[in-house]
Amino acid sequence: MVHSENQESKSLKSEILGIIAPSFPAFLDELHCKYKNLGDGAIADYIPELSKVNPDLFSICVATVDGEVYQVGDFNRLFTIQSMSKVFAYGLALEDHGRDYVLTRVGVEPTGDAFNAIILDEQSKRPYNPMVNAGAIATTSLIKGKGATERLNRMLDMYRRYVGKDVYVDMSVFTSERSTGHRNRAMAHLMLNFGMIDGHIEEALDLYFQQCAVMVSCRDLAVMAAALANKGVNPITGEQAVDSRYVKDILSVMYTCGMYNFAGEWAYKIGIPAKSGVSGGIIAVVPGKMGIAVFSPLLDSRGNSVRGVKVCEELSQKFGLHMF
Amino acid sequence: MVHSENQESKSLKSEILGIIAPSFPAFLDELHCKYKNLGDGAIADYIPELSKVNPDLFSICVATVDGEVYQVGDFNRLFTIQSMSKVFAYGLALEDHGRDYVLTRVGVEPTGDAFNAIILDEQSKRPYNPMVNAGAIATTSLIKGKGATERLNRMLDMYRRYVGKDVYVDMSVFTSERSTGHRNRAMAHLMLNFGMIDGHIEEALDLYFQQCAVMVSCRDLAVMAAALANKGVNPITGEQAVDSRYVKDILSVMYTCGMYNFAGEWAYKIGIPAKSGVSGGIIAVVPGKMGIAVFSPLLDSRGNSVRGVKVCEELSQKFGLHMF
Amino acid sequence: MVHSENQESKSLKSEILGIIAPSFPAFLDELHCKYKNLGDGAIADYIPELSKVNPDLFSICVATVDGEVYQVGDFNRLFTIQSMSKVFAYGLALEDHGRDYVLTRVGVEPTGDAFNAIILDEQSKRPYNPMVNAGAIATTSLIKGKGATERLNRMLDMYRRYVGKDVYVDMSVFTSERSTGHRNRAMAHLMLNFGMIDGHIEEALDLYFQQCAVMVSCRDLAVMAAALANKGVNPITGEQAVDSRYVKDILSVMYTCGMYNFAGEWAYKIGIPAKSGVSGGIIAVVPGKMGIAVFSPLLDSRGNSVRGVKVCEELSQKFGLHMF
Amino acid sequence: MVHSENQESKSLKSEILGIIAPSFPAFLDELHCKYKNLGDGAIADYIPELSKVNPDLFSICVATVDGEVYQVGDFNRLFTIQSMSKVFAYGLALEDHGRDYVLTRVGVEPTGDAFNAIILDEQSKRPYNPMVNAGAIATTSLIKGKGATERLNRMLDMYRRYVGKDVYVDMSVFTSERSTGHRNRAMAHLMLNFGMIDGHIEEALDLYFQQCAVMVSCRDLAVMAAALANKGVNPITGEQAVDSRYVKDILSVMYTCGMYNFAGEWAYKIGIPAKSGVSGGIIAVVPGKMGIAVFSPLLDSRGNSVRGVKVCEELSQKFGLHMF
């Protein structure tokens, strides 16, 4: 059953959602029922820690820009944020260096290749965009701080502003990813070769693996997405999570590059800026309206949550959330 | 000086443009002045016919969804529509076969590769999207009709609905492209090999070269773009140019794939669905508001009009047209 | 049982073969017995005509440079020469234009890619070598003659010199390949685009499909290979099949590029210039000694005859035929 | 002037060289004169240490399998062996693991790509061959020994057997390559990702950088090449430098893959197994006859010594050294 945490403000919600509010929780319940037995897909197994998850876990959360949260299923269950972290780290890098400088290090072009392709733009030698692994590592390497600890703390503090409370790193997942991340390490060295990232490779990779291993709930993700829908302001705490000047940039790359090599089809069919992670989460941002998060660990061949894609597609169609 | 053809409806325009209308014509004039002496870029020279154009030609036109047209510079000058045709042919293919079938033949994924890359999606063997040449040829091959003439006539009739009057094919450009289009011919045969297009290669290529050689003015393009901004209805004639169900699909692929391998940066910086052509035109669609067209034949290294990109960037910033 | 056509010249053979001659026929018999029941591999099925062949067919023939022919199995059975034709057409192109000019049109670099890859050397725009399809089509387009018939006749006359009698084109195979050769057609147009082949694409492709559809027996192939082992002179008729100046060039590209993307492993393990065809033939040339031909239509995943590779490997080891 | 160290054995030399011996030294002198003022090409500058070399240095040495050495120019000048080391390390890996196992880790297929391409065979995930950097790193990682020092000592001992005296590592070049070898480090991590190399990346890379930084003279290289021409036996000391069973394998990969992406053209025009290094050396092996070495640091765009290629081409033509 959908839980709404702020039941009093129905009239406002109605307006924000552009729908008759009472129908909304019921529809989330309906979607949860409809897809909870869909067993398609497979759990990520590239690190043992991820493969231990219960494949039945499933939750849908929606947080509106006026602070309402609708949630159904295992919405407080923690899991690692994985590639969804790329979105937030990109914002921090933009805050630290500004748009122009970041663009010299990481492009914003979508690519038809897989997220882990060892490939840089032939002319510029930049990674194509901050949503592929190479680009995300380059992004993370831009985060400022004196030493590894300060950089980690700035990252964790950023997460805190988005979520509204402290977050923690899953040490087992971090260790596991660090010890098996040879492909990411290969990319980092290749970018070092082209001067796209500086010096301390291992520190940058550590911070990247740490940012991916941060634990969040589906509810947390919905609030994080809602902050992006709300000009960077956490709609519950009112805290500015990211400078409003960069929200447009973040949403743009989510829109064109966020869903791996399904990005184009997502933009075509669902049409909302979004990002997925191999832990099974998807976040989607409807600017000025709401943040959506779905969690279900069963992934399709491109690494996107099977149920997550279905739920977002239905929400987009039902409430006309497509950008066009 | 900007010419407005429908000066009486100022109050409506204001609302549509989300601006104080009087400033709008002045700003177009200002942009035209600012960039008319910018000589960067080069004229397309891959066929002799295109290289004959006067590089100084320059016009900016905006058509609103309520039928207002603002225009400055050489707005009635005819030139061939080239790759901007891909947008409209895609709509016709969708009308002829529906979304699901068209998706089996042409993908909707952006690609980091050049527009003329001889490349198909490795798994599906589809061209990546309808905005690259391979995808556009596949799209055109889907247009229905008994024989070449009927197919051409259906294409021309579609153009007529968008423009509001009959359009014509530049025979010299058609002949020139046909006799030098070996790379496009190579792609067509490769797609035939994978069963992505059917039988009559030469007929499909002829229709593709014809669709690219249709002559339009900058003003025509603004009205065509305005029809896409207006749910498929030509805002001047009121005629339905394309089924409103497919406008979202057209805009989606324009947004993610429309500007060659500059598409991502365009989405990032300018954030409006758009398409360019090597003749020097750019069309951009602000849904529910207006169609924008710029014509200036000097192209950058990616094949986009140098002045066109600048003008669209300034319009987007000045009037907050970015989708995010 | 091995048939020797010239049993009297045993002493000479011994010397040429570098072995005690009597053991040679016995060893061919032994190999034939050993592998005739090996059912691994699959028949080429990309055109219906090829898929009709009896998979049990199997023959081994060796022709020495002094005109001795050893043969076992279905050695008179005719089949189409397919890609083995590339070797001989390359010789004719060299005779027609000389080494330097041919090198400007077709490279001599091996490539790790498949034989039918749509790929040209990025800098030179040449096909990598005359043994991949693109390079073979470019080679064939170089063959001189007034009109299609004269070019075909020059090609057939070249075959006649190598074989020692007239050869014929299998019209069904030709028609079948022509009507399904879209990939080859794609390559031809791409090369036309880069100026690597001239004008009449369809004529060049027709001649290419004709050269591939020439019918030969395993015995014929052994004699053809022996001519290459014998400085270009057919060891039975004494006719010069190809200018001796170009034999070195032909053998060089066979050695580095002849066995598709198995070429390197072939050079490593077997170490004899060779060429295979999808009809199931393999020819191998031991300079100054003999030509070897094997025919067995069951192919491995790279398109080489399974039994053919085994037989050549054993012959190379047994008689020390490896170049190094 | 050419120095011959063993002037008494003229009759034997004549036979080995297949020429009238007296003309040989004169021809080397002639070649040295002819090319010593050829200033084409550029010095390798990817590490500062290499760029300091005097571009005028030039020597040609030939060592016959009966221990005669002909030398002209700066034949005792030491320089780092660089990529020519790949040949000898491959032999040691074969001795340590046998042909079959080594083949599971490193292929023997030539590739049209550059020597430093970040590319593995798509199916097998092996590097294409031991002559590209990725393959050489994988090869070196196979060298046995308890700990880094023992492995280095085994490598140095192998060099000693080939050269006939102790060799040393240039510590500045080693340090310089190690601190800038990000691309090689990227490849190593990528291979680790695919299980193509084991564990200690940094140790394997150190050994690889050490093997490349070994100092040799042009004379040393000629003797090393002569050992390969002489079934693995150093023709001066009589010591077995490499197991004779693997000489064929070494020569095979030199022949098809030794000269970077000029390998095919080298095989075509010069036709001798060879390997070049960015320090400006080329070694070439004429089996059963001689080893050839040329040293001149001016490189062409593919990384091969300009004068070295010319000298080898003339020697091949003059004395008919082409394999075919």
Side-chain angles (χ1 to χ4, degrees):
Chain A
M1 215 202 86
V2 167
H3 305 254
S4 173
E5 295 176 345
N6 187 9
Q7 301 264 359
E8 65 270 42
S9 62
K10 271 186 186 160
S11 60
L12 182 55
K13 284 175 305 178
S14 310
E15 198 182 318
I16 284 167
L17 295 172
I19 55 169
I20 296 154
S23 78
F24 197 69
F27 188 64
L28 292 191
D29 262 340
E30 193 185 316
L31 286 176
H32 194 269
C33 270
K34 181 170 177 185
Y35 290 116
K36 75 180 172 195
N37 294 318
L38 176 64
D40 293 356
I43 287 190
D45 60 357
Y46 74 100
I47 59 168
E49 295 306 315
L50 284 179
S51 66
K52 292 175 186 164
V53 73
N54 175 358
D56 297 333
L57 290 171
F58 183 26
S59 56
I60 311 173
C61 298
V62 172
T64 66
V65 296
D66 61 342
E68 188 74 14
V69 180
Y70 301 90
Q71 46 203 17
V72 59
D74 310 290
F75 49 81
N76 283 324
R77 175 73 177 225
L78 292 178
F79 51 91
T80 53
I81 192 167
Q82 296 298 339
S83 284
M84 293 175 284
S85 69
K86 293 169 179 173
V87 166
F88 306 102
Y90 187 55
L92 190 51
L94 286 167
E95 288 181 322
D96 279 0
H97 297 275
R99 188 179 294 133
D100 292 342
Y101 182 75
V102 172
L103 270 178
T104 64
R105 294 302 188 91
V106 190
V108 290
E109 289 303 319
T111 159
D113 300 294
F115 69 97
N116 61 359
I118 305 277
I119 191 170
L120 301 174
D121 182 299
E122 264 185 53
Q123 291 189 309
S124 70
K125 304 301 182 191
R126 293 179 307 182
Y128 276 98
N129 64 64
M131 301 292 113
V132 294
N133 286 8
I137 294 167
T139 299
T140 300
S141 79
L142 291 174
I143 289 169
K144 286 185 176 170
K146 286 180 190 148
T149 307
E150 186 175 319
R151 282 190 281 273
L152 173 62
N153 286 339
R154 291 193 66 237
M155 172 81 77
L156 292 175
D157 195 54
M158 173 205 73
Y159 275 121
R160 187 195 53 70
R161 293 193 302 272
Y162 275 105
V163 175
K165 63 182 183 202
D166 285 334
V167 297
Y168 300 94
V169 175
D170 183 318
M171 187 55 74
S172 304
V173 170
F174 165 69
T175 309
S176 187
E177 299 221 46
R178 182 164 64 166
S179 63
T180 58
H182 309 306
R183 196 177 182 111
N184 287 324
R185 202 161 268 115
M187 279 182 228
H189 285 289
L190 188 61
M191 290 190 286
L192 183 60
N193 178 61
F194 287 120
M196 281 298 117
I197 60 177
D198 300 316
H200 303 285
I201 288 286
E202 287 304 325
E203 264 189 41
L205 285 165
D206 270 9
L207 187 54
Y208 175 68
F209 294 136
Q210 285 155 359
Q211 101 184 18
C212 290
V214 158
M215 291 180 292
V216 290
S217 67
C218 188
R219 187 193 180 283
D220 293 338
L221 286 173
V223 174
M224 294 172 87
L228 290 174
N230 193 33
K231 300 184 199 307
V233 176
N234 180 317
I236 292 172
T237 65
E239 190 174 9
Q240 190 80 37
V242 60
D243 190 326
S244 62
R245 281 179 298 173
Y246 300 119
V247 170
K248 176 169 71 89
D249 304 325
I250 296 170
L251 296 178
S252 292
V253 294
M254 289 174 76
Y255 194 80
T256 54
C257 319
M259 297 298 285
Y260 302 130
N261 43 349
F262 183 67
E265 199 163 332
W266 176 280
Y268 188 81
K269 288 186 172 164
I270 299 175
I272 317 173
K275 185 76 202 78
S276 61
V278 289
S279 47
I282 294 181
I283 53 173
V285 178
V286 188
K289 292 186 176 164
M290 70 184 93
I292 299 168
V294 189
F295 171 53
S296 164
L298 293 165
L299 307 181
D300 62 25
S301 63
R302 292 180 181 98
N304 298 317
S305 168
V306 175
R307 294 180 195 162
V309 171
K310 295 272 186 204
V311 165
C312 290
E313 189 166 5
E314 294 224 17
L315 281 170
S316 172
Q317 281 173 5
K318 176 82 170 185
F319 300 109
L321 305 180
H322 197 292
M323 298 302 299
F324 299 117
Chain B
M1 213 203 90
V2 168
H3 305 253
S4 173
E5 294 175 346
N6 187 11
Q7 302 264 358
E8 65 271 43
S9 61
K10 272 186 185 160
S11 59
L12 183 54
K13 283 174 310 177
S14 308
E15 198 182 317
I16 284 167
L17 296 173
I19 54 169
I20 297 151
S23 79
F24 198 70
F27 188 64
L28 292 192
D29 262 342
E30 193 185 316
L31 285 177
H32 195 269
C33 271
K34 182 171 176 184
Y35 290 115
K36 75 180 173 194
N37 293 318
L38 177 64
D40 294 355
I43 287 188
D45 59 358
Y46 76 98
I47 58 168
E49 295 305 316
L50 283 180
S51 66
K52 293 176 187 165
V53 72
N54 175 358
D56 297 332
L57 291 171
F58 183 26
S59 55
I60 311 172
C61 299
V62 172
T64 66
V65 295
D66 62 339
E68 187 75 14
V69 180
Y70 300 89
Q71 47 203 17
V72 59
D74 311 290
F75 49 80
N76 283 325
R77 175 72 177 227
L78 292 178
F79 51 93
T80 53
I81 192 168
Q82 297 297 338
S83 285
M84 292 175 284
S85 69
K86 295 168 179 174
V87 166
F88 307 100
Y90 187 55
L92 189 52
L94 286 166
E95 288 181 322
D96 280 2
H97 297 276
R99 188 178 294 133
D100 292 342
Y101 182 76
V102 172
L103 269 179
T104 64
R105 294 303 187 90
V106 189
V108 290
E109 289 302 319
T111 160
D113 299 295
F115 70 97
N116 61 359
I118 306 277
I119 190 167
L120 301 174
D121 183 301
E122 264 183 51
Q123 292 189 308
S124 68
K125 304 300 181 192
R126 295 178 305 184
Y128 276 98
N129 64 64
M131 302 292 114
V132 294
N133 286 9
I137 294 166
T139 299
T140 300
S141 78
L142 292 173
I143 289 168
K144 286 185 174 170
K146 286 181 190 145
T149 307
E150 186 175 318
R151 281 190 282 275
L152 173 61
N153 285 340
R154 290 192 66 239
M155 172 79 78
L156 293 174
D157 196 51
M158 172 205 73
Y159 275 121
R160 186 196 51 70
R161 294 194 301 274
Y162 274 105
V163 175
K165 62 183 183 199
D166 285 336
V167 297
Y168 300 94
V169 175
D170 182 319
M171 187 54 77
S172 304
V173 170
F174 165 68
T175 310
S176 185
E177 299 222 44
R178 183 163 66 164
S179 63
T180 59
H182 309 307
R183 193 175 185 112
N184 286 324
R185 203 161 268 113
M187 280 183 229
H189 285 289
L190 188 61
M191 290 189 286
L192 183 60
N193 177 62
F194 287 119
M196 281 297 119
I197 60 178
D198 300 316
H200 302 286
I201 287 286
E202 287 303 324
E203 264 190 40
L205 284 167
D206 270 9
L207 187 53
Y208 174 68
F209 294 135
Q210 285 156 357
Q211 104 185 14
C212 290
V214 157
M215 291 180 291
V216 290
S217 66
C218 187
R219 187 194 179 284
D220 293 338
L221 286 173
V223 174
M224 296 173 84
L228 291 174
N230 194 33
K231 298 185 200 305
V233 177
N234 180 317
I236 291 171
T237 65
E239 189 173 11
Q240 191 81 36
V242 61
D243 190 324
S244 63
R245 280 179 301 172
Y246 299 118
V247 170
K248 176 168 72 89
D249 305 326
I250 297 169
L251 296 179
S252 292
V253 295
M254 289 175 76
Y255 194 79
T256 53
C257 319
M259 297 298 284
Y260 302 128
N261 44 351
F262 183 66
E265 200 164 331
W266 176 280
Y268 188 82
K269 288 186 172 165
I270 300 174
I272 317 172
K275 185 76 201 83
S276 61
V278 289
S279 48
I282 294 180
I283 54 172
V285 178
V286 188
K289 292 186 176 163
M290 68 184 94
I292 299 168
V294 189
F295 170 53
S296 163
L298 293 166
L299 308 181
D300 62 26
S301 63
R302 293 181 179 96
N304 297 318
S305 168
V306 175
R307 294 179 195 162
V309 171
K310 295 273 186 200
V311 165
C312 290
E313 190 167 3
E314 293 223 17
L315 281 170
S316 172
Q317 281 173 5
K318 175 83 171 186
F319 300 109
L321 306 178
H322 197 293
M323 299 300 298
F324 300 116
Chain C
M1 214 205 88
V2 168
H3 305 252
S4 174
E5 294 176 344
N6 187 11
Q7 302 264 359
E8 65 271 41
S9 60
K10 271 186 188 160
S11 60
L12 184 53
K13 281 175 309 179
S14 308
E15 196 182 318
I16 284 167
L17 295 173
I19 54 170
I20 296 151
S23 78
F24 198 70
F27 188 64
L28 292 191
D29 262 340
E30 193 185 316
L31 285 177
H32 195 269
C33 270
K34 181 171 177 184
Y35 291 114
K36 76 180 172 196
N37 293 319
L38 177 64
D40 294 354
I43 287 188
D45 60 356
Y46 76 99
I47 59 169
E49 295 306 317
L50 284 179
S51 66
K52 293 175 185 164
V53 74
N54 175 359
D56 296 334
L57 291 170
F58 183 28
S59 55
I60 310 172
C61 298
V62 172
T64 66
V65 295
D66 62 340
E68 187 75 14
V69 181
Y70 301 89
Q71 47 204 18
V72 59
D74 311 289
F75 50 79
N76 282 325
R77 175 71 175 227
L78 292 178
F79 51 93
T80 54
I81 192 168
Q82 297 297 338
S83 285
M84 291 175 285
S85 68
K86 294 168 179 174
V87 166
F88 307 101
Y90 186 56
L92 190 50
L94 286 166
E95 288 181 322
D96 280 1
H97 297 275
R99 188 178 296 133
D100 292 342
Y101 182 77
V102 172
L103 269 179
T104 64
R105 294 303 187 91
V106 190
V108 290
E109 290 302 319
T111 160
D113 300 296
F115 70 97
N116 62 359
I118 305 276
I119 191 169
L120 301 174
D121 184 300
E122 265 185 50
Q123 291 189 310
S124 68
K125 304 301 181 191
R126 294 179 307 186
Y128 275 98
N129 64 66
M131 300 293 114
V132 295
N133 286 9
I137 294 166
T139 299
T140 300
S141 79
L142 292 174
I143 289 168
K144 286 185 175 170
K146 286 181 189 147
T149 306
E150 186 175 320
R151 280 190 283 274
L152 174 61
N153 286 340
R154 291 192 67 238
M155 171 79 78
L156 292 174
D157 195 53
M158 171 204 74
Y159 276 121
R160 187 196 51 71
R161 294 193 302 271
Y162 275 105
V163 175
K165 62 183 182 198
D166 285 335
V167 297
Y168 301 94
V169 176
D170 183 318
M171 188 54 77
S172 304
V173 170
F174 165 69
T175 309
S176 186
E177 300 221 44
R178 182 164 65 164
S179 63
T180 59
H182 308 306
R183 194 175 184 112
N184 286 326
R185 203 161 268 114
M187 279 183 231
H189 285 289
L190 188 62
M191 289 190 286
L192 183 59
N193 177 62
F194 287 118
M196 280 299 116
I197 59 178
D198 301 317
H200 304 285
I201 286 287
E202 286 304 325
E203 265 190 40
L205 285 166
D206 270 10
L207 187 55
Y208 175 68
F209 294 135
Q210 285 156 358
Q211 104 184 15
C212 290
V214 158
M215 290 180 293
V216 291
S217 67
C218 188
R219 188 195 179 287
D220 293 338
L221 286 173
V223 174
M224 295 172 85
L228 290 174
N230 194 32
K231 301 186 199 303
V233 176
N234 181 317
I236 292 171
T237 66
E239 189 173 11
Q240 191 82 34
V242 60
D243 190 325
S244 62
R245 279 179 301 172
Y246 299 119
V247 170
K248 177 169 71 91
D249 305 324
I250 297 170
L251 296 179
S252 292
V253 295
M254 289 175 77
Y255 194 79
T256 53
C257 320
M259 296 299 284
Y260 302 129
N261 42 351
F262 183 67
E265 200 164 330
W266 177 280
Y268 188 83
K269 289 185 172 162
I270 299 172
I272 316 171
K275 185 76 202 83
S276 61
V278 289
S279 48
I282 294 181
I283 54 173
V285 177
V286 188
K289 292 187 176 164
M290 68 183 94
I292 299 168
V294 189
F295 170 54
S296 164
L298 293 166
L299 308 181
D300 63 25
S301 62
R302 293 181 179 96
N304 297 318
S305 169
V306 175
R307 294 179 195 162
V309 171
K310 295 271 187 204
V311 166
C312 290
E313 190 167 3
E314 295 223 18
L315 281 170
S316 173
Q317 280 172 8
K318 176 83 171 184
F319 300 108
L321 306 179
H322 196 293
M323 298 299 300
F324 298 116
Chain D
M1 212 203 87
V2 168
H3 305 253
S4 175
E5 295 176 346
N6 187 9
Q7 302 263 1
E8 66 271 42
S9 62
K10 270 184 187 162
S11 59
L12 183 54
K13 283 175 307 176
S14 308
E15 196 182 317
I16 284 167
L17 296 172
I19 54 172
I20 296 151
S23 78
F24 197 69
F27 189 63
L28 292 191
D29 262 340
E30 192 184 316
L31 285 176
H32 194 268
C33 270
K34 182 170 177 185
Y35 290 115
K36 75 180 171 193
N37 294 318
L38 177 64
D40 293 357
I43 287 190
D45 59 357
Y46 75 99
I47 58 167
E49 295 306 315
L50 285 178
S51 66
K52 292 175 186 164
V53 74
N54 175 359
D56 296 333
L57 291 170
F58 182 28
S59 55
I60 311 172
C61 298
V62 172
T64 65
V65 296
D66 61 341
E68 187 75 14
V69 181
Y70 300 89
Q71 46 204 19
V72 59
D74 310 290
F75 49 81
N76 283 324
R77 176 74 176 222
L78 292 178
F79 50 92
T80 54
I81 192 168
Q82 297 296 339
S83 285
M84 291 174 285
S85 69
K86 294 168 179 174
V87 166
F88 307 100
Y90 187 55
L92 189 51
L94 286 166
E95 288 180 321
D96 279 0
H97 297 275
R99 188 179 293 133
D100 292 343
Y101 182 76
V102 172
L103 269 179
T104 63
R105 295 301 188 90
V106 189
V108 291
E109 289 302 319
T111 160
D113 300 294
F115 70 97
N116 61 358
I118 304 279
I119 191 169
L120 301 173
D121 184 298
E122 265 184 50
Q123 292 188 310
S124 68
K125 304 301 181 191
R126 292 179 308 183
Y128 276 97
N129 65 64
M131 301 292 114
V132 294
N133 286 8
I137 294 167
T139 299
T140 300
S141 79
L142 292 173
I143 288 168
K144 285 186 177 170
K146 286 181 190 145
T149 306
E150 186 175 321
R151 281 190 282 274
L152 173 61
N153 286 339
R154 291 192 66 238
M155 171 79 76
L156 292 175
D157 196 52
M158 172 204 74
Y159 275 122
R160 187 196 51 71
R161 294 193 301 272
Y162 275 106
V163 175
K165 62 183 182 199
D166 285 334
V167 297
Y168 300 95
V169 176
D170 182 319
M171 187 55 74
S172 304
V173 170
F174 165 68
T175 309
S176 185
E177 299 221 44
R178 182 164 65 166
S179 63
T180 59
H182 309 306
R183 194 175 185 113
N184 286 325
R185 202 161 269 115
M187 279 181 228
H189 285 289
L190 188 62
M191 290 189 286
L192 183 59
N193 177 61
F194 287 119
M196 279 300 118
I197 60 177
D198 301 317
H200 303 285
I201 287 287
E202 287 304 324
E203 265 189 42
L205 285 167
D206 269 10
L207 187 54
Y208 174 68
F209 294 136
Q210 285 155 358
Q211 102 184 17
C212 289
V214 157
M215 291 180 292
V216 290
S217 67
C218 187
R219 187 193 181 284
D220 294 337
L221 287 172
V223 174
M224 296 172 85
L228 291 174
N230 193 33
K231 301 185 199 304
V233 176
N234 180 316
I236 291 172
T237 66
E239 189 174 10
Q240 191 82 36
V242 61
D243 190 326
S244 62
R245 280 179 299 172
Y246 300 119
V247 170
K248 175 168 72 91
D249 305 325
I250 296 170
L251 296 179
S252 293
V253 295
M254 288 174 77
Y255 194 79
T256 54
C257 319
M259 297 298 285
Y260 302 129
N261 43 351
F262 183 67
E265 199 163 330
W266 177 280
Y268 188 83
K269 289 185 171 164
I270 300 175
I272 316 172
K275 184 76 202 80
S276 62
V278 289
S279 46
I282 294 181
I283 54 173
V285 178
V286 188
K289 293 188 176 161
M290 67 184 95
I292 299 169
V294 188
F295 170 54
S296 163
L298 293 165
L299 308 180
D300 63 24
S301 63
R302 293 181 180 97
N304 297 319
S305 169
V306 175
R307 294 179 195 161
V309 171
K310 295 272 185 202
V311 165
C312 290
E313 189 167 5
E314 294 224 17
L315 281 170
S316 173
Q317 281 173 6
K318 176 82 171 184
F319 300 108
L321 305 179
H322 197 294
M323 298 302 299
F324 300 115

